[in-house]
Every structure is written in structure tokens, then in C-alpha cells.
Amino acid sequence: MRFPLVPPPLDIQFTLDLIKEELKSRKFFNTLQKMGLGNSPFQPHLGALILRTLNMDPDAEVTFNTYYRIIERRSKKIRAQGHSVAKQALKVYHELVAERERRLGGHERA
């Protein structure tokens, strides 16, 4: 038997929506690059906003590099069908929260 999912609180849903849009944009513009169309000045970059919604410092190089690596990896996994974008967005969210907690826990590597 399937049970309906309980919607997340609005602040988490807002962050998930931003992540979904970032994943779709990244997928689209990476595909254009593969086709030889180069970089576009019109590509949105939502990373700083996403990191701020998670109380993470977007200006910290290690934080931004971690974010970038996660988004790149997850954007390659999205597909046109089903709930692929939502699934990957949730995974990005959990990875970023885990990273934030790891850093707050004082386990950050030098």
C-alpha cells in the first residue's frame, strides 16, 4: 500500500525548489556545452542563494566547491521522465545538510 508523502515545511520546500531549478539549468547548459555552444552569460547560478537558505557560507571556498561537485554529479543523473529532478534535488539537499552538520560538528579537515 502506498501512503501519500507529507509535504516538507515551506522553508525546506523553498530550498528544494531552488535546487530543482539549479539542476535543470545545469543539465540544460551542460548539454549546450557538449553540443559546442559554449558558455552562456544567461545561465542562472543559484548556488549562493541555495547555500544561504541552508545557513552555509557561499563565500567559503571549500563550501562552494563541495556544493559545485554535488550539483554537477546530481545534474548528470536527472532524466526527462518521472520524478527524477525531485529525487535528485532531495539527494542534493540531504548531502548539503550532512556536509553542514559535519562542518558544525568540528570534523572539518584542514
Side-chain angles (χ1 to χ4, degrees), residues 27-98:
K27 179 77 167 188
F28 177 74
F29 283 98
N30 284 346
T31 301
L32 289 179
Q33 268 190 316
K34 287 179 186 175
M35 295 170 54
L37 297 175
N39 291 328
S40 171
F42 302 108
Q43 181 176 357
H45 297 282
L46 302 175
L49 184 57
I50 291 166
L51 291 170
R52 282 190 181 101
T53 65
L54 293 170
N55 294 319
M56 297 174 79
D57 182 7
D59 296 322
E61 187 175 344
V62 67
T63 300
F64 195 82
N65 288 342
T66 299
Y67 165 81
Y68 186 86
R69 188 181 71 251
I70 292 168
I71 287 290
E72 279 296 309
R73 180 170 35 87
R74 293 292 173 188
S75 70
K76 291 175 184 172
K77 295 182 179 200
I78 64 173
R79 303 290 176 251
Q81 74 278 3
H83 299 287
S84 179
V85 175
K87 179 180 176 181
Q88 293 305 317
L90 192 56
K91 289 182 178 191
V92 168
Y93 178 84
H94 285 295
E95 287 182 56
L96 290 172
V97 168

Side-chain angles (χ1 to χ4, degrees), residues 1-5:
M1 180 187 320
R2 295 183 67 103
F3 295 97
L5 295 176

